Amino acid sequence: MPEPEGEPAGSPPPAPHQRPPHRGGVLLDAPAVRRWSALALAALGRAREDIDAINVYPVADGDTGTNLYLTVESAAQAVEAVFAAHETGATRPALSDAVRAMAHGALIGARGNSGTILAQLLRGMAQVLTTPGDEAHAAHADGPLLARALRRAADSAYGAVAHPVEGTVLTVATAAADGADAAGAADCAAVARAAHDAALAALGETPRHLAVLARAGVVDAGGRGFVTVLHTLVEALTGEAPARPGPRPPGDLVGPCAAAPADHTHGEAATEGPAYEVIYLLDAEDAAVDRLRGRLDALGDSLVVVGGDGLWNVHVHVDDAGAAVEAGIEAGRPHRVRITHFGAQTAARPDAAQPPRERAPRAVVAVVPGEGLAELYAQGGATTVHARAGEPPASGELAEAIRRAHAHEVVLLPNDPELRHTAAAAAEQARGDGIRVALIPTRSAVQGIAALAVHEGGRRFDEDVVAMTSAAGATRHGAISVAERQSWTTAGICQAGDVLGLVDGDVAVIGTDLTDTARTVLDRMLSAGGEMVTLVLDDEVPEQVADLLERHVRTRHLAVDTVVYRGGRQGSPMLIGVE
């Protein structure tokens, strides 16, 4: 197993290990949960590609490590948010606050089959560690309580999977719970170490349960990811990574089949099952979810439904993706819907009979808010990441896009000031893979358009980055949006439904008409001069609005050209750039 060696780039290291005073030994408290989430994220970041490489079940789509990383990234961010909320106060978060945040973050960020199951494992632990009225464990948990939490985690994960299969992460989680029970210790560190060791042994046995693992000469990918998570729990509690049980097997795999050559074609596993993976969050009552399980089970396989208290994460493999989403609509309110076609994923993976694709010299990766802009950026040669409204991409997604660009040098355009730190973390991850990455801090998609327009892959990397940065910096950015509620702005108080004109991120105009507000914003932005106006319109904005604004610029601002793009459903009616 890979050993955790440090923290994810761009994030502060966990606080030094402190043993809560207790005659029974080490206890689990909120700071330990914080250390655990950070260490797990770092370890999965290092193991991601190795876990992806052994992903053959239930579908050989090579993304289990990535999905686990993204799931834990969401969990770690939720834990950090809890601690950030307590920074101004005199108290620190309780254990229940931290574990509840970790479980909730994993639930809303769960990706793929294994990520969804991991979210339920964390939720099961949280249910025990946040028992209402248990004042004895309000600040910390002892060994027996941690053992009960691991048992609840395994049991709840089995209950969330429609048709449990042995030889998967479920088997590994049950072994961890058995090991924790057998430890019989008051010390959380001893319980965690026993759980880890038992899970590690069970992981090595997974090929005996699943023939597809034995044929490929690998252990279960999801199980390996869970062992990594337990490994970091031990480190979070003790300050030391658990020792390896013996020499590292060939290929860094664990188990009797580890030395066998892995079969990376996996054609049978990838093509015989359903064509689509469908994942969505669902707001629904328990009774409606029970009915939904039955309907989705009839539509496909690999069904996992996790969550509770009105919020659920639904995962299923189907041939009719529309029917799976419609079933969710009947049960409640599905959102954050993700549909992945397995054929596209497996086609993108290198076949054993084909030589690996040669890396391009240079590429551009950009975050864009709408399909129309994604097409525009793609025409300019960029690899795009779609930013959905209210769902910014995680650093793991950006790092994966950088790798997908398959180039020696990559220019990253976040196109949003809120993504600066996320993009920096993604760039650092990619640099760890030997990719040279330059981050240009673009604050809007229109600045990204200006940067992409001057991009030249044939010149020196530094020169290209300087030219793109200069073009982006010379582009003022504005936007037109609609207020969702009454609030204070830099231009005064706005009411729900007001049209807001933003210049360089600040509200400059409050109006009632989209076209009139856009005219005012354009005049303010062009008052300091300009040669080119870029308008990016949402698909719902009538074509005549673009005509009126073009005519306004032509008559009021001589020698200024205007170019108009359709951005698709981009979250705001209009983006404006002035170069």
Side-chain angles (χ1 to χ4, degrees):
M1 297 297 299
E3 300 293 334
E5 297 170 353
E7 298 310 305
S11 67
H17 173 67
Q18 296 177 350
R19 293 173 181 261
H22 188 267
R23 63 184 180 182
V26 179
L27 301 175
L28 178 69
D29 59 5
V33 172
R34 186 186 195 185
R35 291 192 296 273
W36 180 27
S37 64
L39 288 168
L41 181 61
L44 286 171
R46 290 189 297 274
R48 182 192 62 79
E49 290 187 350
D50 290 339
I51 296 174
D52 282 346
I54 64 171
N55 173 203
V56 300
Y57 183 87
V59 176
D61 47 358
D63 64 357
T64 290
T66 300
N67 287 335
L68 288 171
Y69 176 85
L70 293 174
T71 302
V72 172
E73 181 178 48
S74 180
Q77 289 173 345
V79 173
E80 287 301 316
V82 166
F83 275 84
H86 282 73
E87 283 181 354
T88 57
T91 61
R92 71 179 185 183
L95 171 64
S96 59
D97 297 328
V99 296
R100 190 182 295 115
M102 189 175 184
H104 182 74
L107 175 67
I108 63 175
R111 304 296 180 93
N113 189 70
S114 295
T116 308
I117 293 174
L118 177 60
Q120 187 66 9
L121 287 165
L122 294 174
R123 177 177 170 80
M125 292 185 69
Q127 287 173 333
V128 171
L129 298 173
T130 60
T131 303
D134 190 355
E135 298 302 328
H137 298 106
H140 55 254
D142 58 11
L145 191 65
L146 178 58
R148 291 206 300 274
L150 289 167
R151 175 61 63 190
R152 175 71 68 83
D155 291 346
S156 63
Y158 264 97
V161 177
H163 302 284
V165 174
E166 296 303 324
T168 64
V169 63
L170 299 176
T171 305
V172 176
T174 298
D178 292 342
D181 288 340
D187 179 39
C188 276
V191 170
R193 188 177 288 108
H196 168 267
D197 292 348
L200 184 62
L203 177 64
E205 295 295 316
T206 53
R208 299 188 186 277
H209 295 281
L210 275 175
V212 64
L213 300 179
R215 287 197 301 270
V218 297
V219 294
D220 179 65
R224 179 174 174 182
F226 184 59
V227 169
T228 301
V229 172
L230 290 176
H231 186 283
T232 56
L233 175 59
V234 177
E235 184 174 3
L237 290 167
T238 66
E240 298 177 356
R244 298 190 185 101
R248 184 177 298 213
D252 193 31
L253 304 184
V254 178
C257 298
D263 171 14
H264 291 293
T265 57
H266 308 315
E268 179 182 352
T271 59
E272 288 190 350
Y276 296 96
E277 177 185 59
V278 178
I279 305 174
Y280 49 81
L281 291 179
L282 179 70
D283 297 330
E285 300 297 328
D286 292 7
V289 172
D290 289 339
R291 294 191 295 271
L292 174 66
R293 281 192 176 99
R295 179 165 179 187
L296 292 178
D297 194 26
L299 286 174
D301 58 29
S302 297
L303 174 62
V304 185
V305 182
V306 305
D309 301 322
L311 179 63
W312 307 82
N313 191 306
V314 179
H315 170 280
V316 67
H317 295 173
V318 293
D319 282 320
D320 190 343
V325 176
E326 288 173 4
I329 294 173
E330 292 181 6
R333 187 180 74 88
H335 48 109
R336 296 198 185 187
V337 180
R338 297 186 183 90
I339 299 174
T340 303
H341 185 249
F342 288 126
Q345 282 193 317
T346 54
R349 299 183 64 202
D351 190 279
Q354 297 176 344
R357 181 166 56 98
E358 185 176 350
R359 286 184 180 274
R362 189 174 308 159
V364 176
V365 173
V367 179
V368 294
E371 294 84 355
L373 278 175
E375 183 177 347
L376 174 65
Y377 271 81
Q379 289 174 357
T383 297
T384 61
V385 179
H386 188 198
R388 301 173 180 85
E391 188 183 353
S395 65
E397 289 180 271
L398 297 186
E400 187 60 28
I402 293 172
R403 298 183 186 100
R404 192 171 69 246
H406 205 64
H408 293 288
E409 301 168 338
V410 173
V411 180
L412 179 58
L413 306 174
N415 292 340
D416 186 339
E418 298 297 324
L419 289 178
R420 184 183 62 173
H421 296 299
T422 301
E428 198 61 36
Q429 292 176 45
R431 291 182 188 118
D433 295 337
I435 304 171
R436 189 180 183 189
V437 183
L439 170 61
I440 298 179
T442 47
R443 301 170 62 85
S444 170
V446 291
Q447 288 189 324
I449 291 173
L452 189 61
V454 300
H455 164 59
E456 291 184 16
R459 59 187 167 197
R460 290 178 56 248
F461 185 60
D462 292 339
E463 293 176 354
D464 197 29
V465 171
V466 168
M468 294 177 72
T469 302
S470 178
T475 302
R476 300 190 70 192
H477 62 95
I480 305 298
S481 65
V482 178
E484 296 182 355
R485 63 185 69 87
Q486 183 188 60
S487 61
W488 290 89
T489 75
T490 51
I493 300 176
C494 69
Q495 306 295 328
D498 282 349
V499 180
L500 307 180
L502 291 83
V503 177
D504 293 334
D506 294 324
V507 177
V509 182
I510 300 175
T512 58
D513 179 78
L514 186 146
T515 305
D516 289 342
T517 303
R519 286 194 187 104
T520 304
V521 169
L522 282 167
D523 289 341
R524 292 198 181 190
M525 294 179 70
L526 287 166
S527 63
E531 299 176 355
M532 169 76 73
V533 169
T534 300
L535 301 177
V536 182
L537 275 58
D538 186 276
D539 282 350
E540 293 187 350
V541 176
E543 194 66 41
Q544 64 201 48
V545 172
D547 295 338
L548 290 171
L549 294 178
E550 281 189 89
R551 190 178 308 124
H552 176 78
V553 172
R554 187 166 57 249
T555 57
R556 292 285 300 273
H557 304 278
L558 300 179
V560 177
D561 295 325
T562 303
V563 59
V564 179
Y565 300 109
R566 283 289 175 176
R569 301 299 299 273
Q570 59 189 26
S572 62
M574 190 183 307
L575 303 177
I576 301 172
V578 173
E579 300 177 45

